[in-house]
Amino acid sequence: MTQFVIVGTGGMGRELLGWIAGCSAATRDRFRTTAFISEGGDDGSVIHGVPVLHPDQWIDSPPRFVIAFADPAKKKRLAQELEARGWIPEIFIHESAVVGLATSIGRGTIICPFCRISSDSEIGEHVLVNGGSGIGHDATVGSYSSLLGSVSVNGNARVGEGVLLGAGSMIYPGKRVGNWATIGLASVVLRNVPDGATMFGNPATRIDRR
């Protein structure tokens, strides 16, 4: 099987390595991690026994990979660069996550422990769904978005590309969050959010124009 690498050496990358170690033998074999990949990884660093390499230091055949950090813009840039090299985006779904029928999950997406993905929902490419988050039925989450733990995207909601949803935030059923918007910690979105807006509070109000 093609080798697997984790892109990113921060907390999420290290957590992912630990989650893989705690999974079944079949999952451990599938996601046996050859290296961490970092744009600063050219100094011989090792994390939990796994070497850290710059992308240019990878000399084997193109590996499978996931990007294990939240920054949507950086994720998009790196994903496009690595895919241009022929690297293969992988999907990681933790064994404790519950995934409903007729769901669509894009390449490069990470579904962390204890998440719930309901039926007929659609998740784009290189999305991070952090622990304890839920995506309701018929909801969509655009590519490169990040849900930062215990986030609720309720039924029929629409989350655009490159959206950052702070931990504990909630999107009301049927509402739309525009592309490249940011929703603050524990905020509750009761109205549609324009592209690029930064929202905070309960109910969430726009703060980037203040």
Side-chain angles (χ1 to χ4, degrees):
M1 182 180 291
T2 305
Q3 296 183 80
F4 173 74
V5 299
I6 296 172
V7 180
T9 58
M12 178 53 61
R14 289 178 278 118
E15 285 181 327
L16 177 57
L17 186 70
W19 294 333
I20 292 168
C23 285
S24 66
T27 299
R28 292 197 306 272
D29 287 344
R30 178 172 179 80
F31 292 98
R32 191 176 304 280
T33 304
T34 302
F36 283 103
I37 301 297
S38 171
E39 291 179 299
D42 54 3
D43 61 356
S45 298
V46 175
I47 297 176
H48 301 306
V50 178
V52 179
L53 302 177
H54 188 279
D56 293 339
Q57 292 178 291
W58 185 265
I59 59 174
D60 296 326
S61 59
R64 297 174 296 126
F65 75 98
V66 293
I67 298 177
F69 54 77
D71 183 331
K74 186 177 178 181
K75 273 199 296 185
K76 183 173 184 177
R77 176 182 63 80
L78 259 179
Q80 291 177 339
E81 290 177 4
L82 295 176
E83 290 179 46
R85 295 170 181 251
W87 293 26
I88 306 162
E90 180 62 275
I91 298 171
F92 176 82
I93 302 175
H94 192 270
E95 293 174 346
S96 65
V98 177
V99 178
L101 297 173
T103 59
S104 174
I105 299 175
R107 306 178 311 155
T109 286
I110 300 173
I111 309 294
C112 297
F114 308 112
C115 291
R116 174 187 50 80
I117 313 299
S118 295
S119 62
D120 301 288
S121 57
E122 182 177 346
I123 302 174
E125 296 187 352
H126 299 286
V127 173
L128 171 62
V129 185
N130 212 335
S133 294
I135 296 174
H137 65 85
D138 302 289
T140 62
V141 177
S143 295
Y144 313 109
S145 292
S146 292
L147 286 62
L148 297 185
S150 300
V151 169
S152 294
V153 176
N154 284 287
N156 290 294
R158 300 287 182 266
V159 175
E161 178 178 304
V163 172
L164 185 66
L165 299 179
S169 59
M170 178 182 295
I171 312 302
Y172 196 75
K175 299 305 176 184
R176 179 186 181 276
V177 178
N179 299 327
W180 303 98
T182 299
I183 308 301
L185 177 76
S187 296
V188 179
V189 173
L190 300 179
R191 299 180 179 85
N192 291 339
V193 175
D195 291 352
T198 298
M199 311 288 289
F200 182 75
N202 181 7
T205 57
R206 190 165 184 174
I207 63 172
D208 57 319
R209 294 184 297 188
R210 294 182 182 178

